[in-house]
Amino acid sequence: MYRESLLKEIVNKETVSTTLKSLSLDLFQEGFDDLSHRFYERIDNLKDFFNIKEHEANLKRLDSEIEKLKKCIDKGFNKNSNINYTKKVTIKKYGKIDLTTAYRI
């Protein structure tokens, strides 16, 4: 559930970031070639706001915590459990996520 939420947020932010990049290029092509102008600064601020690095780090941390939990369960029962965590993530452009996470016991 947390993974799905993070992935949706990543897709939404990537969509906005792509649109902002396109807007910058459109302005440049229309003759607004002064990159030090205020609207370019504002677009750059928005791009920074919609950065996805934090969400990607959270996904990596989530995977790490799941692995730690599996190891603790194995250690607690003094045997290797049959818990297998597999994930398949397909992110399609513009907000469509196909997420399959399976726990097999």
Side-chain angles (χ1 to χ4, degrees):
M1 201 181 247
Y2 181 63
R3 175 181 298 285
E4 185 176 353
S5 175
L6 283 173
L7 289 171
K8 284 181 182 179
E9 192 66 27
I10 288 171
V11 169
N12 290 338
K13 285 187 174 193
E14 281 182 339
T15 302
V16 171
S17 181
T18 302
T19 303
L20 288 171
K21 287 176 188 174
S22 177
L23 177 64
S24 293
L25 290 173
D26 289 345
L27 287 170
F28 191 74
Q29 287 177 348
E30 290 296 322
F32 295 99
D33 55 355
D34 182 14
L35 297 177
S36 64
H37 198 275
R38 285 188 327 189
F39 52 76
Y40 280 111
E41 291 174 15
R42 290 178 183 165
I43 289 173
D44 287 339
N45 289 341
L46 286 171
K47 284 181 193 176
D48 291 341
F49 179 76
F50 288 103
N51 193 340
I52 61 169
K53 289 180 182 176
E54 182 180 340
H55 292 297
E56 290 173 339
N58 288 340
L59 278 174
K60 288 180 184 177
R61 194 174 8 206
L62 177 64
D63 289 339
S64 172
E65 294 299 320
I66 289 172
E67 287 299 319
K68 287 179 188 177
L69 178 63
K70 283 175 39 179
K71 288 178 183 177
C72 287
I73 290 171
D74 290 347
K75 187 176 181 180
F77 289 103
N78 287 328
K79 64 178 183 175
N80 288 336
S81 63
N82 291 332
I83 298 174
N84 294 320
Y85 174 72
T86 58
K87 59 186 177 288
K88 176 188 168 193
V89 179
T90 305
I91 300 177
K92 299 176 183 173
K93 223 172 183 183
Y94 303 112
K96 296 179 183 176
I97 297 177
D98 176 24
L99 173 67
T100 305
T101 303
Y103 297 94
R104 291 184 305 204
I105 298 175

